[in-house]
Amino acid sequence: MALLGAQLVITLIMVSIIQKLGNYSFARWLLCSQGLYRYLYPDNSELKSLAGVPKEKPKAKKGGKNELNGKPETFHVPRSLDIQLETAPVTALDLVHLRFYTDYIWIVDFSLYSSIVYIMSEIYTWIFHLKDEFNLSMVWCLLVVLFSFKILLSLTKQYFTSDESISERSICIVAFCVFLLVAMMVLIVDESNLEVGVDPAYDSFYENASKFLENQGLSSVGPASKLILKLSLAIWAALIGTLFTFPGLRVARMNWDSIRVYGDNKVAALLLNVNFAMPFILALMWVRPVTRHYLTVRVFSGMTEPLMTSAQFDSMRLILVIITMVLRVILMPRQLQAYLDMAQRKLDAQKKEAGRITNIELQKKIASVFYYLCVVALQYLCPVVMCANLALMYKTLGGFTWTGMDLDPVVRTMPSDSMEQFQMAWENLKMIFTTEVYRGVLGFSTWWCCFAWFISTSLGAMYQSYFRIS
């Protein structure tokens, strides 16, 4: 218990709160209490009335069955049919039947609970400055990252299991190859240009792991080579880039539609543009000559010192990641409503086409928009949730502060008890996985997620600008 201490108490309190709040959901509130409305497809009688299709009475058979044998009635209507869809507010009863609804509820609510645990842990450690306690909030953050990864993997898997997703499958394969090439190029960039910290992390890990093996009397040539490590990181980075591809394209489409709807509102348009540009700004924060050099090294005319210290720059970088996540959640209802409006836009685009369409196809075209609402919400939130929780782990395990001040707190030592063996094992792990190791692994992971998010949304913006017709 000495290694956990108050962290275990905080976790148990949050688990109890989760059990008490089982009927309340922040994720459900985001979709049902923010004024979202969906579009209702016209029924067969309305379509027949608009298209002038005569209504036929079904011929009754023995046993009361009609000639359709329970199959839906099918008829053709002109594509140019003038239809104005009715709307209805999104309710909780509408959501339970949607695809990935449980995944959406779980990841959003669990992310909220994890954030609360992290805040409580940060407040506690800021007051008492404990040294040897294991920070259980890191486990919560890691679980959020793993859950987000699992959900994105499940969404991408749909393109490889469906026979109708040949083009999407090809895009995923091409994206993996491109991101793999980019990741290998990034990993050979010098630390003086891109400060992801992979090389210092490997040097620290290699030295300490070798000493640990020697102290245990084990003969070993040391850990894996730097080439193997960077190749593994490149494969992981390519997989992340692939998982972010279609969410980025989707967010670019929603941002494009949102700006067209809210373009007259200058404040909303500004927030939407800032929200879209934040991944690019975050990716630049790790490029040393562009950001750190100008803010922490260069002294501008009329000043006697740089704008901020190196510690303040590190804190600002972390705070910007959190601001990005908060801003994305705030703008989520506007973005999702822009997606739901796609049902009417599809009909408006269809009016320009010649020919006829069956009533079943037309109704499916409208209903499918709302059917994938939770999928779109996951594509919108999971990448930024992953980035934010990696940044929280980067801050805590990397030894950074939120205030940008290098503090030397009075440390309270842990008493000796019957768990000396666990204490010794914990100290050995801390000797191998040092702050430099965490800064390298989590720094690269955080930056790459922001960079991949920026690349995918940029490609989506280019497609919306130059290739999409309607």
Side-chain angles (χ1 to χ4, degrees):
M1 295 295 293
L3 288 177
L4 299 178
Q7 305 293 329
L8 181 60
V9 176
I10 294 174
T11 293
L12 293 177
I13 291 175
M14 182 52 60
V15 171
S16 177
I17 293 175
I18 292 174
Q19 292 177 344
K20 298 295 183 182
L21 299 179
N23 295 328
Y24 299 93
S25 172
F26 176 69
R28 191 184 302 116
W29 178 82
L30 279 176
L31 295 184
C32 300
S33 302
Q34 298 300 305
L36 291 180
Y37 56 89
R38 61 190 181 95
Y39 289 85
L40 306 176
Y41 60 84
D43 56 20
N44 291 342
S45 61
E46 184 178 353
L47 288 175
K48 287 182 177 181
S49 176
L50 292 174
V53 178
K55 298 180 181 180
E56 298 180 358
K57 295 182 179 180
K59 298 179 181 179
K61 283 190 174 183
K62 294 181 180 180
K65 296 183 180 180
N66 60 29
E67 60 182 358
L68 297 177
N69 292 323
K71 295 182 180 179
E73 182 182 5
T74 304
F75 55 90
H76 290 79
V77 297
R79 291 181 177 269
S80 59
L81 199 63
D82 187 14
I83 303 175
Q84 292 298 323
L85 300 178
E86 297 181 0
T87 60
V90 176
T91 63
L93 294 177
D94 300 326
L95 296 175
V96 295
H97 305 290
L98 303 184
R99 298 197 67 183
F100 289 92
Y101 169 73
T102 55
D103 297 273
Y104 165 75
I105 294 293
W106 170 251
I107 189 62
V108 175
D109 289 342
F110 189 80
S111 298
L112 177 62
Y113 300 140
S114 175
S115 301
I116 296 174
V117 170
Y118 182 84
I119 293 172
M120 294 172 64
S121 299
E122 286 290 290
I123 294 174
Y124 183 82
T125 54
W126 178 70
I127 295 175
F128 293 102
H129 306 299
L130 297 182
K131 178 182 178 181
D132 294 324
E133 279 195 16
F134 179 74
N135 196 334
L136 272 180
S137 65
M138 295 296 94
V139 177
W140 288 74
C141 293
L142 178 62
L143 288 176
V144 173
V145 173
L146 294 178
F147 289 146
S148 301
F149 180 84
K150 182 258 182 186
I151 290 173
L152 290 174
L153 190 64
S154 299
L155 293 176
T156 307
K157 179 184 175 183
Q158 302 301 314
Y159 302 127
F160 291 86
T161 57
S162 175
D163 297 332
E164 301 177 356
S165 303
I166 299 178
S167 58
E168 289 85 353
R169 195 179 311 158
S170 301
I171 291 176
C172 289
I173 296 174
V174 172
F176 180 85
C177 297
V178 171
F179 276 109
L180 179 62
L181 177 61
V182 174
M184 289 190 293
M185 295 172 60
V186 165
L187 287 170
I188 64 175
V189 176
D190 189 77
E191 289 289 331
S192 61
N193 296 319
L194 184 64
E195 48 175 331
V196 293
V198 174
D199 291 333
Y202 176 80
D203 296 337
S204 175
F205 178 77
Y206 184 88
E207 179 181 357
N208 294 319
S210 300
K211 290 181 180 179
F212 173 76
L213 293 175
E214 292 177 0
N215 294 335
Q216 301 298 320
L218 300 176
S219 58
S220 173
V221 295
S225 67
K226 185 181 294 187
L227 179 62
I228 299 299
L229 172 66
K230 290 193 172 183
L231 181 60
S232 302
L233 286 176
I235 295 175
W236 173 85
L239 181 58
I240 291 295
T242 305
L243 299 182
F244 280 20
T245 298
F246 279 99
L249 297 176
R250 171 65 66 185
V251 168
R253 174 65 184 269
M254 289 194 295
N255 184 77
W256 179 274
D257 295 332
S258 299
I259 292 178
R260 290 200 303 181
V261 174
Y262 303 104
D264 296 335
N265 188 335
K266 294 183 178 180
V267 176
L270 176 63
L271 291 176
L272 288 169
N273 284 308
V274 170
N275 178 49
F276 187 77
M278 282 306 295
F280 171 68
I281 297 175
L282 293 176
L284 286 181
M285 297 302 292
W286 272 263
V287 182
R288 185 181 291 269
V290 177
T291 52
R292 185 183 288 273
H293 176 78
Y294 277 91
L295 296 177
T296 65
V297 177
R298 183 174 178 178
V299 179
F300 294 91
S301 60
M303 301 179 63
T304 58
E305 58 184 13
L307 293 174
M308 59 179 61
T309 64
S310 181
Q312 290 173 342
F313 177 82
D314 293 329
S315 300
M316 181 191 68
R317 188 163 57 184
L318 295 168
I319 292 172
L320 284 178
V321 178
I322 305 304
I323 291 176
T324 301
M325 185 186 68
V326 174
L327 181 61
R328 189 156 296 247
V329 173
I330 292 174
L331 295 177
M332 179 178 171
R334 292 179 182 268
Q335 303 272 33
L336 291 183
Q337 187 57 59
Y339 164 75
L340 292 174
D341 293 340
M342 188 187 299
Q344 185 63 55
R345 289 195 299 270
K346 282 185 175 182
L347 280 185
D348 295 338
Q350 180 181 284
K351 294 177 184 179
K352 304 176 183 178
E353 302 175 1
R356 302 176 71 84
I357 186 174
T358 65
N359 60 317
I360 302 299
E361 292 175 351
L362 189 146
Q363 292 168 348
K364 284 184 177 179
K365 178 183 291 188
I366 300 170
S368 63
V369 175
F370 179 69
Y371 183 65
Y372 288 101
L373 176 63
C374 290
V375 174
V376 174
L378 288 172
Q379 291 178 330
Y380 181 83
L381 286 176
C382 280
V384 72
V385 167
M386 183 182 293
C387 293
N389 281 272
L390 284 171
L392 295 179
M393 297 175 66
Y394 180 49
K395 180 268 169 188
T396 301
L397 298 178
F400 298 106
T401 63
W402 294 113
T403 58
M405 294 187 295
D406 296 323
L407 301 177
D408 295 322
V410 177
V411 179
R412 192 182 78 187
T413 58
M414 306 297 296
S416 177
D417 54 16
S418 60
M419 298 185 67
E420 292 181 357
Q421 294 182 350
F422 293 97
Q423 189 81 7
M424 185 178 299
W426 173 244
E427 291 297 330
N428 289 331
L429 286 176
K430 289 177 65 177
M431 183 185 71
I432 298 175
F433 295 96
T434 61
T435 301
E436 288 76 13
V437 174
Y438 287 125
R439 287 188 177 187
V441 175
L442 296 174
F444 175 76
S445 301
T446 304
W447 176 81
W448 178 261
C449 286
C450 297
F451 177 74
W453 190 233
F454 156 66
I455 292 296
S456 59
T457 53
S458 299
L459 291 175
M462 291 176 57
Y463 174 78
Q464 301 301 321
S465 302
Y466 299 105
F467 300 103
R468 190 166 66 89
I469 299 176
S470 58

Coordinates of all heavy atoms in Angstrom, one line a residue, residues 24-36 92 95 104-105 108-109 329 333:
Y24 N -26.4 8.4 -15.4 CA -26.1 9.7 -15.9 C -24.9 9.5 -16.9 O -23.9 8.8 -16.6 CB -25.7 10.7 -14.8 CG -26.9 10.9 -13.9 CD1 -27.0 10.2 -12.7 CD2 -27.9 11.9 -14.2 CE1 -28.1 10.4 -11.8 CE2 -28.9 12.1 -13.3 CZ -29.0 11.3 -12.1 OH -30.1 11.5 -11.3
S25 N -24.9 10.2 -18.0 CA -23.9 10.1 -19.0 C -23.6 11.4 -19.6 O -24.5 12.0 -20.2 CB -24.3 9.0 -20.0 OG -23.4 9.0 -21.1
F26 N -22.4 11.9 -19.5 CA -21.9 13.1 -20.2 C -22.0 12.9 -21.7 O -22.3 13.8 -22.4 CB -20.5 13.5 -19.7 CG -20.0 14.7 -20.4 CD1 -20.5 15.9 -20.2 CD2 -18.9 14.5 -21.3 CE1 -20.0 17.0 -20.8 CE2 -18.4 15.6 -22.0 CZ -18.9 16.9 -21.7
A27 N -21.6 11.7 -22.2 CA -21.7 11.4 -23.6 C -23.1 11.5 -24.2 O -23.3 12.1 -25.2 CB -21.1 10.0 -23.9
R28 N -24.1 11.0 -23.4 CA -25.4 11.1 -23.9 C -25.9 12.5 -23.8 O -26.7 13.0 -24.7 CB -26.3 10.2 -23.0 CG -27.7 10.0 -23.6 CD -28.6 9.2 -22.6 NE -28.0 7.9 -22.3 CZ -27.6 7.5 -21.2 NH1 -27.7 8.3 -20.1 NH2 -27.1 6.3 -21.0
W29 N -25.5 13.3 -22.8 CA -25.9 14.7 -22.7 C -25.3 15.5 -23.9 O -26.0 16.4 -24.4 CB -25.3 15.3 -21.4 CG -25.6 16.7 -21.2 CD1 -26.7 17.3 -20.8 CD2 -24.7 17.8 -21.5 NE1 -26.6 18.6 -20.7 CE2 -25.4 19.0 -21.2 CE3 -23.4 17.9 -22.0 CZ2 -24.8 20.3 -21.3 CZ3 -22.8 19.1 -22.1 CH2 -23.5 20.3 -21.8
L30 N -24.2 15.2 -24.4 CA -23.6 15.9 -25.6 C -24.5 15.8 -26.8 O -24.6 16.7 -27.6 CB -22.2 15.4 -25.9 CG -21.0 16.0 -25.0 CD1 -19.7 15.3 -25.4 CD2 -20.9 17.5 -25.1
L31 N -25.1 14.6 -27.0 CA -25.9 14.4 -28.2 C -27.4 14.7 -28.0 O -28.0 15.0 -29.0 CB -25.7 12.9 -28.6 CG -24.4 12.4 -29.0 CD1 -24.4 11.0 -29.5 CD2 -23.8 13.3 -30.1
C32 N -27.9 14.6 -26.8 CA -29.3 14.8 -26.6 C -29.7 16.1 -26.0 O -30.9 16.4 -26.0 CB -29.8 13.6 -25.7 SG -29.6 12.0 -26.3
S33 N -28.8 16.9 -25.5 CA -29.2 18.1 -24.8 C -28.5 19.3 -25.4 O -28.5 20.4 -24.7 CB -28.8 18.0 -23.3 OG -29.5 16.9 -22.7
Q34 N -28.0 19.2 -26.6 CA -27.4 20.4 -27.2 C -28.1 20.9 -28.4 O -27.6 21.6 -29.3 CB -25.9 20.0 -27.6 CG -25.1 19.6 -26.4 CD -25.0 20.8 -25.4 OE1 -24.6 21.9 -25.8 NE2 -25.3 20.5 -24.2
G35 N -29.4 20.5 -28.6 CA -30.2 21.0 -29.7 C -30.0 20.3 -31.0 O -30.4 20.8 -32.0
L36 N -29.4 19.1 -31.0 CA -29.2 18.4 -32.2 C -30.5 17.8 -32.7 O -31.4 17.4 -32.0 CB -28.2 17.2 -32.0 CG -26.7 17.5 -31.8 CD1 -26.0 16.2 -31.6 CD2 -26.2 18.4 -32.9
A92 N -32.5 10.0 -26.5 CA -31.7 8.9 -26.0 C -32.3 7.6 -26.6 O -31.5 6.6 -26.9 CB -31.7 8.8 -24.5
L95 N -30.8 6.9 -30.0 CA -29.3 6.6 -30.0 C -29.0 5.2 -29.7 O -28.0 4.6 -30.2 CB -28.6 7.5 -29.0 CG -28.6 9.0 -29.2 CD1 -27.9 9.7 -28.1 CD2 -27.9 9.4 -30.6
Y104 N -19.1 4.6 -27.9 CA -19.1 6.1 -27.8 C -19.4 6.5 -26.3 O -18.6 7.3 -25.8 CB -20.1 6.7 -28.7 CG -20.5 8.1 -28.4 CD1 -19.6 9.2 -28.7 CD2 -21.7 8.5 -27.7 CE1 -19.9 10.5 -28.3 CE2 -22.0 9.8 -27.4 CZ -21.1 10.8 -27.7 OH -21.4 12.1 -27.3
I105 N -20.4 5.9 -25.7 CA -20.7 6.2 -24.3 C -19.5 5.9 -23.4 O -19.2 6.6 -22.5 CB -22.0 5.4 -23.9 CG1 -23.2 5.9 -24.7 CG2 -22.2 5.6 -22.4 CD1 -23.6 7.3 -24.4
V108 N -16.2 8.3 -24.0 CA -16.4 9.7 -23.5 C -16.5 9.8 -22.0 O -15.9 10.6 -21.3 CB -17.6 10.3 -24.2 CG1 -17.9 11.7 -23.7 CG2 -17.4 10.4 -25.7
D109 N -17.4 8.9 -21.4 CA -17.6 9.0 -20.0 C -16.3 8.5 -19.2 O -15.9 9.1 -18.2 CB -18.7 8.1 -19.6 CG -20.1 8.6 -20.0 OD1 -20.1 9.9 -20.3 OD2 -21.1 7.9 -20.1
V329 N -14.4 19.6 -27.8 CA -15.6 19.2 -27.2 C -16.7 20.3 -27.2 O -17.9 20.0 -27.4 CB -15.3 18.7 -25.7 CG1 -16.6 18.4 -25.0 CG2 -14.4 17.5 -25.7
P333 N -21.1 19.9 -30.8 CA -22.5 19.9 -31.3 C -22.7 20.6 -32.7 O -23.4 20.1 -33.5 CB -23.3 20.7 -30.2 CG -22.4 20.5 -29.0 CD -21.0 20.4 -29.4

